Amino acid sequence: MTKLYYRFVYWRRRLGRSVRPAPGPRRPAPGRGQRLLAVKRSAYRFRPLYVFAVIVAIVLAVSYLMAAGGAGRGPLPG
């Protein structure tokens, strides 16, 4: 039943596109497009910094867990 429904929706959309003319090209607002482009550029530029921060956070978490596991042993013999 669901298959028939989706087939019906597909053909209805296809017929609708063939009957009505195609819409004109849509252009984004100039301010919004420039801001979005600037955000994408800054995110791409700071990506190595984010990767480095994630690696440092993982190393710190692992070292904390390893230190916490041996915290009850006391000082090393020397």
Side-chain angles (χ1 to χ4, degrees), residues 11-56:
W11 284 108
R12 187 184 65 181
R13 285 183 184 168
R14 190 167 176 181
L15 287 171
R17 287 182 191 141
S18 66
V19 171
R20 66 177 180 260
R26 302 169 95 189
R27 292 186 212 147
R32 182 176 177 265
Q34 294 297 327
R35 281 194 307 262
L36 185 61
L37 189 60
V39 168
K40 285 184 179 181
R41 282 184 186 156
S42 66
Y44 184 74
R45 185 175 28 172
F46 290 121
R47 191 175 190 181
L49 181 64
Y50 296 145
V51 171
F52 177 74
V54 167
I55 291 172
V56 169

